[in-house]
Every structure is written in structure tokens, then in C-alpha cells.
Amino acid sequence: MTSSPARRSDPVPAVPDALFADPEVEARWRGRFTAARVSVPDWARDAPDRSVYSSNATGTWEIYAWDRAADTHRRVTDRPQGTRGGAASTDGESIWWFDDTDGDEFGVWVREPFTGGAASPAVAGAAPGYPAGLELGRRTVAVGWSTDDGSTLAVSEDGGDGFGEARVVYTHTEDAGIGALSRDETLLAISHAEHGDSRHPAIRVLRVSDATTVGERHDGEGKGLDPIEFAPVEGDQRLLVGHERRGRDELLVWDLATDTETELAIDLPGDLSAGFYPDASALLVAHTRAGRTTLHRYDLATGELTDLPTAAGSVGGADVRPDGTVEYGWSSAAYPSSVRALRPDGTDTELLAPPGERPAPSVALDDAWVDGPGGPVHALFTRPAGTTGRVPTVFMIHGGPQAADEDRWSPVRAVWVDAGFAVVHVNYRGSSGYGSAWRDAIEGRPGTTELEDVAAVHEWAVSTGLADPAACVLEGWSWGGYLTLLGLGRQPERWAVGCAGVPVADYLAAYEDEMEPLRAFDRSLFGGSPDEVPERYREASPLTWVDAVRAPVLVLAGENDPRCPIRQIDNYLDALAERGREYAMVRYDAGHGSLVVAETLAHTVAEIAFAREALGLPVPA
């Protein structure tokens, strides 16, 4: 584990060399973490044989270039803490990637030749900041960044000898981001929260040449708009937009040439996202419902919806090649991720196989719908194979909060199951995929609302004979880590152990130190800043409830995290120490999570070993 030098005397957890006495079992679970994985490739628009993808093949997530014609692969980045993602220029001559420091997410976009060479700042005059979107055109790029002063969006144009000085087209103290660039590069759609609610943004379309406003859309309180993509045809000014006018994520087409909208009546019950087919005649639609994804083709002229055959599970990224092939990432709880190609003739094959051995399968997830105070709560759960009766149970709480747990591959879940724990996921109010009202139900009352749903699922798991009430572990990262610490203080009778990764622990200090886009998010979530609604922040802060904590607590956090900064976590640990509570701390030299496989693996060992020791469980044979 690449932890930074300790600057405090916090106790550290005992981390064993092995979780299992059986060498085959030990090798199997470690293999699920260390097996190479790849992302769905992004390709150059005008040179589609040149692609960019991410992989952890070296043990750290880095960016790779793939020349499909020659079938050659080149690692582009090689940085100690990894690199989050990249994109290919439209002509395929260069690769863009975001250059931050040790995972702190603050930096600038750089670019380097596709075939290799030194990276240099991609846009002259673009200030360092947190990324706020990137759109690459043939002659124009649009780039956004945010700082404590707010958001800045700019364009840079190619004068024949490279992209020139960034020209600012928009700036505001509230959150904003680059949305979409029209194919003829005359229009730029941006997302903004000038109305003060970054969770429900509005859209403005600017003329690239002079930054004048061409069109505006704002659906009002509690209804966001998302500029997804302009039609990929020269001169076509249709903008695909995500909306929530009927209480779920749906789609419309806004034609800027006529300033008219067409809401798309797609007969699917869940939330929808989409992108254009290359000729702009149809949409590739991803439909998410109850933790699973299906893909469909929607004909824009006829309204015909065609199902695309994919296995049951989750799709992580999908796009359409010029020949109509759909490339997508797929996985399920039982089977590891695969990057696949669904061709127009219906054949579906693996597109990009990672090197090395494949990881061992795991167990499938079952569904439960549990009555909660705000309506049925969807939970996904599994138990160790061959077990009956009550077992130790880990409630793995997802982050976001506007994310969701899905039927997807997770080496972390798999090793908890191998270690003898049932695993329960809770898609509490605040989660996406269950409609706008469910997602927004936490506004004005964050933390408390989600924990009510977690409590309902906990009671279900105990009453059905799945969970041992004396051996329930609350675990999560980011917002899930926050809910873990809050749950230990507000529901101490339910939890025997808590494991919180990169959590919010002291909300008032977190607000002071976090990146500005998250301050904007918090203001939208709480209904104001800590100065405006101080009691809401105090009520939602785990530090407020630290006196009630009884369970042993493990905290894992990055020194360079801009989202859940380290000072506020130290404040919480100091409060635990002052009260004589049992806790341990894993401190590592990265940001909001780690892109280093060995680090993630070590964190998981620390969590399971800590939980076992607290519960008095033996090491399995």
C-alpha cells in the first residue's frame, strides 16, 4: 500500500498478508482485482481506426492508444497515481488527457501525438482548474474549468499551426460546463446553474464566433436539462437533450434552426439516455430500470423502437461506429466486464480482450423491494454459496448520492462474499434510475432520508433470516462513506462495525475546503450554504452525532482529495479519540479513491480484516 508518511498518531488497522488459509481461495479473490480490464474505446471521428481507451493492465489505470488497422497498442500515460481518461482528436493525430497532481483533479488538459511523443498544454491560456467539460472539433475545441471563483468556459480555434489562445465565452460564479459542439462548429451548448441549483441545470446555446446567445431553455424548479449531443451531420442544428418533465429522465430534440422542440415518446418505463447514430437518423438508447440496462435503437423518422440483444446485467458506455456496429461495455454481478461489439447482422463478440487470465466468476444478485417510509426501496443482495440461516452481513452503501447500485461486476463484493458475508445494496432515496421524485427526495434533508431507507432494508434482512443482527457491517465510499459515519451515530443499535472510505465526516469543515462545484452541489441539496441554513448542515454532519458512536470505525482517506478533504476527516477522528472510541485509519497519497490496483486491494483487505476482528470471526479455512 502506497500510504504517505504519517503526520498523526491515529491507530492503523492490522492488515494480514492473506485473508484466507486456503491458497487457492486467496489466489482466486486476488485474481479478480489484478486481472486486467479495459474501457470502451473512444475513436477519432475522422480516423475511426485510431482509438483511445483506459486499462489497469500495468496495475494502475492509464490511457492507451489503439491503432485498429495495425492492431497495435501503446501505453500513453505512466503516472504514479494513474490517469483518469483521455480522448482522441477528430483527425486522430493527437490524444488529449487531463494532467492533475497525485489525483487531486486540479490541472490542465494536455495533448501528445497519437504515435508517441511529449505531452504539452493543449490550449494556450486555459487556466488550471477542475475539469468542466471538453468538446473536440476539427477547427475548434471547447474547454471548461472551475476554481473557487466559479466556472469558466472557453473556445480555442486552429489557425493552421495549432490551437490558439483560449477565448472565454462564458464565466459565472455558479456551476457550469461544456455540453455539446455542433458538427459545423458554429454553436456551443452549455449547461449552467445561474438560477442557483446545480442539480437541475439549464441550457444555453452560444454562437461560437461571438459568444452571443442563440437559444435558452430552463424548465424551472426541480427540473433539469442536459445538453447531450448535436446531430453528427454538417449543418444539422438539432440538439439531443435530456429532460425530466414527467418525473423521469427522458429525451427531446431541440432544433436550433427553427427553435422547436420534439419530445420523444419512447415506450420504456425506466430512465433513458441516448446518443445519435452516425447519420443522425436514429438514437442509441440506454434504458435503466431496477439496477439493469437494456439497449435499443430508436428511429427518429418513424418512432420505431428496436431492442438490441444484450445479456441481462449492466451496460457501462456504448457508442455506434460508422458501419453501425454498437460497441459497449457489459458485466453482471456473476460475470466480469467485457468490451463487446454488436454488429448490424446481429453477431455479438468480444471486441477488446484484456491481456492475461480472466478473473473467476462470482455469485449473482437477487432483488428485493422493501416497504420504506417514502415508498418501496429496491435492494440487491446475495449470500455465500451453500449457506443457510443468518450470516454476517455487509450493507454496501453506494456513493453519489445520485448514483445507484446495479447488477454489475465488483471484485470488492465478490471477496466479501468469499469471506462469508452476505452483501446487501440499498438504492435509497437519492439514487438515480427510479425517477426524479425518488432522486430528489433527499433535498433539504440529506443523510436522514437515506438512512431511513437503509434502516428499512436492514429490518427486512434481519426479519427474513438473512442477516445476523449482531454482525451487521455498514460500509461505503464517498457519499456511502458519509452515510456510514452518519449511520453509526444515528443508528448505533443497528451496526456492529463501520468502514467508511473518503467520507464527509464534518460537514461544516468539508464545505469550507471542498472544490467549488461540490459547494454548489451542497447548496442545491441543502437549500443554501452553511451560513444560510446552518441547522441543516449540523443535523446532517456525522461529527454532530459522534457521542452516540459505539461500533469500531475504520476510515480510509486520500491526502489530496478535493471532494472529501482530509482536514474534516481529521476533525472527526480527533473527536473519536477524545471520547475513547475504537477506530483505525488508512491514509493514502492520492485523491478521491485510487487508480492503483494494489491500493484498492489493500483497502479491501483492511476493511474485511477490521470487520472480522471486531466481530470475532475466524479466518476461513
Side-chain angles (χ1 to χ4, degrees):
M1 190 160 49
T2 57
S3 298
S4 62
R7 63 177 181 83
R8 294 167 51 98
S9 57
D10 294 312
V12 297
V15 180
D17 293 332
L19 281 176
F20 300 91
D22 185 334
E24 290 187 10
V25 177
E26 183 73 12
R28 181 182 66 196
W29 84 261
R30 288 179 179 271
R32 294 196 188 104
F33 280 81
T34 59
R37 288 181 286 164
V38 295
S39 70
V40 178
D42 169 64
W43 57 85
R45 191 181 80 202
D46 298 333
D49 279 342
R50 290 194 162 186
S51 297
V52 176
Y53 65 91
S54 298
S55 177
N56 65 343
T58 64
T60 302
W61 282 95
E62 298 287 4
I63 298 169
Y64 288 75
W66 176 25
D67 186 327
R68 299 190 188 210
D71 196 21
T72 57
H73 301 257
R74 178 181 72 85
R75 187 174 68 186
V76 176
T77 55
D78 183 9
R79 306 197 303 155
Q81 301 303 334
T83 310
R84 292 190 177 273
S89 63
T90 55
D91 60 8
E93 292 299 315
S94 62
I95 293 173
W96 292 55
W97 52 273
F98 192 76
D99 186 17
D100 66 351
T101 302
D102 294 332
D104 66 359
E105 303 179 48
F106 192 90
V108 297
W109 286 97
V110 298
R111 60 176 177 158
E112 66 177 76
F114 184 89
T115 55
S120 59
V123 178
Y130 301 107
L134 176 72
E135 281 284 296
L136 302 179
R138 288 175 178 156
R139 304 170 304 280
T140 308
V141 299
V143 61
W145 61 89
S146 65
T147 66
D148 286 348
D149 296 326
S151 302
T152 301
L153 310 181
V155 297
S156 175
E157 291 158 308
D158 188 348
D161 55 355
F163 289 101
E165 190 82 9
R167 174 167 54 86
V168 174
V169 296
Y170 179 89
T171 183
H172 202 278
T173 55
E174 290 289 351
D175 197 34
I178 299 294
L181 181 68
S182 65
R183 182 53 61 97
D184 61 13
E185 301 173 25
T186 62
L187 302 177
L188 176 66
I190 69 169
S191 172
H192 72 83
E194 292 177 9
H195 54 291
D197 182 1
S198 67
R199 285 169 55 85
H200 303 95
I203 296 176
R204 180 171 298 155
V205 178
L206 305 175
R207 197 177 310 281
V208 170
S209 61
D210 58 10
T212 56
T213 297
V214 177
E216 297 261 17
R217 287 293 186 273
H218 178 211
D219 275 356
E221 184 177 353
K223 295 180 180 180
L225 293 169
D226 176 27
I228 299 172
E229 182 184 11
F230 274 103
V233 174
E234 197 82 16
D236 193 331
Q237 295 189 358
R238 289 178 298 165
L239 177 65
L240 180 63
V241 174
H243 72 89
E244 48 183 320
R245 294 171 178 173
R246 286 179 289 275
R248 65 188 181 102
D249 290 345
E250 295 183 89
L251 302 163
L252 64 83
V253 175
W254 179 15
D255 191 337
L256 272 298
T258 59
D259 195 24
T260 56
E261 291 180 9
T262 303
E263 294 185 7
L264 306 182
I266 298 177
D267 188 19
L268 294 168
D271 285 354
L272 307 177
S273 60
F276 281 102
Y277 270 71
D279 63 359
S281 67
L283 300 179
L284 174 63
V285 176
H287 169 238
T288 302
R289 185 169 185 266
R292 294 171 181 86
T293 314
T294 55
L295 293 180
H296 311 264
R297 183 185 186 276
Y298 178 80
D299 189 291
L300 286 165
T302 67
E304 180 183 5
L305 187 70
T306 305
D307 297 342
L308 300 180
T310 58
S314 294
V315 172
D319 206 350
V320 187
R321 294 277 290 173
D323 67 355
T325 296
V326 176
E327 295 184 353
Y328 68 101
W330 175 90
S331 76
S332 70
Y335 296 104
S337 56
S338 174
V339 175
R340 308 195 63 80
L342 178 61
R343 293 175 173 80
D345 64 4
T347 59
D348 190 333
T349 59
E350 188 170 47
L351 170 70
L352 187 58
E357 295 185 5
R358 294 302 177 91
S362 185
V363 294
L365 288 171
D366 292 316
D367 297 81
W369 291 89
V370 178
D371 289 337
V377 183
H378 182 218
L380 295 158
F381 70 98
T382 188
R383 67 156 60 236
T387 62
T388 58
R390 300 186 186 277
V391 293
T393 301
V394 56
F395 290 74
M396 299 181 71
I397 309 303
H398 72 74
Q402 74 288 4
D405 277 309
E406 298 176 331
D407 182 5
R408 61 174 177 256
W409 179 249
S410 169
V412 176
R413 180 200 307 119
V415 68
W416 278 97
V417 174
D418 286 350
F421 289 81
V423 175
V424 177
H425 299 288
V426 183
N427 281 330
Y428 50 74
R429 278 171 289 171
S431 304
S432 294
Y434 301 87
S436 302
W438 188 263
R439 184 201 62 215
D440 293 343
I442 66 174
E443 291 180 358
R445 197 169 172 262
T448 301
T449 305
E450 302 94 299
L451 287 178
E452 289 175 348
D453 293 342
V454 172
V457 175
H458 175 269
E459 291 173 5
W460 163 85
V462 171
S463 67
T464 57
L466 172 66
D468 179 350
C472 288
V473 181
L474 191 57
E475 189 272 352
W477 284 70
S478 192
W479 196 261
Y482 157 64
L483 292 176
T484 294
L485 295 185
L486 189 63
L488 295 178
R490 300 202 64 171
Q491 303 169 339
E493 74 284 355
R494 296 186 185 276
W495 311 112
V497 192
C499 299
V502 293
V504 176
D506 172 0
Y507 226 124
L508 295 175
Y511 184 89
E512 291 175 359
D513 294 352
E514 68 191 5
M515 59 200 299
E516 174 54 31
L518 281 185
R519 289 195 198 115
F521 180 90
D522 284 340
R523 291 192 295 271
S524 297
L525 186 60
F526 283 83
S529 70
D531 289 337
E532 296 167 320
V533 287
E535 286 305 314
R536 291 185 184 178
Y537 282 85
R538 278 194 283 271
E539 180 82 5
S541 179
L543 185 60
T544 302
W545 305 90
V546 71
D547 281 336
V549 173
R550 296 293 179 268
V553 186
L554 175 65
V555 177
L556 309 95
E559 292 276 12
N560 309 315
D561 191 345
R563 298 172 181 266
C564 298
I566 197 68
R567 179 176 72 95
Q568 53 95 25
I569 292 172
D570 287 341
N571 293 347
Y572 184 84
L573 298 179
D574 288 341
L576 289 176
E578 290 168 4
R579 291 157 176 78
R581 301 296 189 260
E582 182 182 349
Y583 78 95
M585 172 65 168
V586 173
R587 192 181 299 268
Y588 59 92
D589 189 19
H592 197 64
S594 177
L595 299 177
V596 180
V597 174
E599 190 87 69
T600 305
L601 189 151
H603 294 167
T604 305
V605 172
E607 285 193 345
I608 293 176
F610 186 85
R612 277 181 179 163
E613 181 177 0
L615 297 174
L617 300 177
V619 175

